Amino acid sequence: MVKLATGSRRLGLEEYYELEVFDDKSYPGALKSDCVGWRASAQIDQALNRNYWRATANDKVLNYALLQQYGLPAPETVATFSPEKRRVGHERSLATQAELEEFLANGLVYPVFIKPIHGSYGRGTFLLTAYDAATRQFTDIHGHQVAMRELVEACMTRQYSGMLFQKPLQPHPQVRALIGPTTSCVRVIVAVAPTGPRIHLTFWKVARAHNITDNFHMGATGNLLAAINKETGVVERVVTGLWPGGKEVTQHPDTQQTLLGQALPDWQQAMDLCLSAASHFPGLKLQHWDVAFCAEGPVLMELNTEADLGVPQLLGRRPFIDQTIKSMMINA
């Protein structure tokens, strides 16, 4: 434990347990030194991803505009609110609070998914189904009321840099039967090696019925995580959280459908899509794509950097760093 904590990866003592690095069956001997926590995650991200490329992933307006230009499937944006009057393509562009309030009161088509241009962990997101002009309140997917004032304040939050209004995605019928109507993305980690992009790891962020996003947030949201075989798309492990409170389960708690052993539809199509998309972002050597498995086929929900690499390592029960990542770090 001390050797790992003081070594080049600086794996914390809590992480040693939370990520189950103590398990000699999964991480025998020297393989433990290839395990990562949040410190090594940041080091790897800084080494492999150029800072001047990060906006192409983290800025959702720019990312969606690029995906649209390249002809890659992404959520349909129907309006963008941005004080700078930015937009993805030809959707309605809102720049002032007055324009925003008029659109919210009269221009929304339901259901509508709303999310920040700059955001994480599902903060500032809404999934609305109706509006009552008399009370100036919206109804969300769970039947809760959202006041116009609350929604406007969220849209005006400076750190969000504006809001995107999108048509909700419709899950593939097989996925809907397993986990319900929520949008639950597979995280596809792509390593852009000198020989070309390759799939490094894949896992499924499985949303619960009470959430509108699939963010795991170390188990705090109640959502699940599932290890996915990157070659076959088969679910190999499902967990509710980190050690010691996290448990392994086989079924989705809401639908009672068995997840373990299930194969996700259109898997090879999704992997090919991520590999194709990765080539357009050469300054990002370690890419984290969120892919939604929809009725019309796989859809690229977004591209991320600066991700926690310890969680997929925990799910797959193997060190995140392999020979490819080592070689890329040496040549970075």
Side-chain angles (χ1 to χ4, degrees):
M1 291 168 61
V2 173
K3 183 179 179 180
L4 293 173
T6 57
S8 60
R9 313 293 182 214
R10 292 191 298 158
L11 187 75
L13 300 183
E14 289 186 4
E15 292 174 317
Y16 179 82
Y17 287 105
E18 289 178 338
L19 301 176
E20 301 180 16
V21 179
F22 59 80
D23 185 353
D24 292 334
K25 292 182 179 179
S26 299
Y27 311 105
L31 286 184
K32 292 184 190 297
S33 63
D34 290 331
C35 293
V36 301
W38 68 267
R39 296 175 184 83
S41 295
Q43 291 173 346
I44 294 169
D45 177 80
Q46 284 295 320
L48 298 183
N49 293 327
R50 300 291 175 258
N51 286 333
Y52 55 85
W53 270 89
R54 293 185 189 278
T56 63
N58 300 337
D59 185 300
K60 294 181 178 63
V61 169
L62 178 57
N63 184 246
Y64 286 137
L66 289 170
L67 295 179
Q68 181 173 287
Q69 176 64 29
Y70 296 138
L72 298 168
E76 181 180 349
T77 301
V78 297
T80 300
F81 169 67
S82 165
E84 297 80 20
K85 212 169 178 61
R86 302 177 65 206
R87 54 188 173 83
V88 174
H90 300 292
E91 78 277 8
R92 185 169 177 178
S93 178
L94 314 166
T96 67
Q97 183 172 337
E99 290 177 331
L100 173 64
E101 291 185 3
E102 189 281 329
F103 174 71
L104 292 176
N106 303 304
L108 283 179
V109 176
Y110 301 94
V112 61
F113 184 66
I114 306 171
K115 68 179 180 181
I117 293 173
H118 290 277
S120 59
Y121 299 112
R123 300 188 186 100
T125 58
F126 301 85
L127 180 52
L128 305 179
T129 59
Y131 176 64
D132 185 336
T135 62
R136 288 176 62 81
Q137 288 191 322
F138 300 89
T139 302
D140 72 10
I141 192 68
H142 297 122
H144 302 140
Q145 301 304 303
V146 180
M148 170 70 79
R149 174 182 51 79
E150 178 185 348
L151 184 54
V152 170
E153 287 179 356
C155 292
M156 300 292 293
T157 300
R158 180 178 297 181
Q159 70 189 59
Y160 293 159
S161 301
M163 285 284 188
L164 296 167
F165 299 82
Q166 298 178 328
K167 289 186 177 180
L169 298 175
Q170 299 302 315
H172 189 285
Q174 288 179 236
V175 174
R176 180 186 289 268
L178 287 174
I179 64 171
T182 60
T183 298
S184 297
C185 294
V186 167
R187 172 64 59 89
V188 181
I189 302 177
V190 179
V192 184
T195 54
R198 58 180 287 273
I199 306 298
H200 185 61
L201 285 174
T202 56
F203 64 95
W204 193 12
K205 302 181 293 177
V206 184
R208 296 285 307 280
H210 61 275
N211 292 322
I212 64 170
T213 68
D214 58 12
N215 295 91
F216 183 62
H217 203 40
M218 299 305 179
T221 61
N223 291 335
L224 309 176
L225 287 181
I228 305 288
N229 185 297
K230 66 180 182 180
E231 305 294 340
T232 63
V234 172
V235 177
E236 296 184 331
R237 188 186 185 206
V238 185
V239 301
T240 63
L242 305 184
W243 187 93
K247 300 178 180 179
E248 289 197 35
V249 297
T250 59
Q251 297 178 323
H252 192 282
D254 301 321
T255 66
Q256 303 304 312
Q257 294 296 308
T258 298
L259 300 178
L260 199 64
Q262 296 286 347
L264 291 178
D266 302 326
W267 184 256
Q268 192 56 54
Q269 182 183 350
M271 297 304 101
D272 291 343
L273 175 62
C274 290
L275 292 174
S276 175
S279 64
H280 295 293
F281 300 85
L284 302 176
K285 301 299 184 184
L286 191 65
Q287 304 176 13
H288 307 263
W289 290 95
D290 283 345
V291 183
F293 287 72
C294 300
E296 66 271 25
V299 174
L300 297 174
M301 179 66 80
E302 61 186 36
L303 172 59
N304 298 276
T305 62
E306 304 168 34
D308 187 338
L309 309 179
V311 171
Q313 171 186 272
L314 163 72
L315 288 170
R317 286 175 164 168
R318 66 182 182 88
F320 183 86
I321 298 177
D322 64 1
Q323 194 55 49
T324 297
I325 298 296
K326 288 180 181 179
S327 178
M328 291 172 61
M329 293 281 288
I330 292 172
N331 297 316

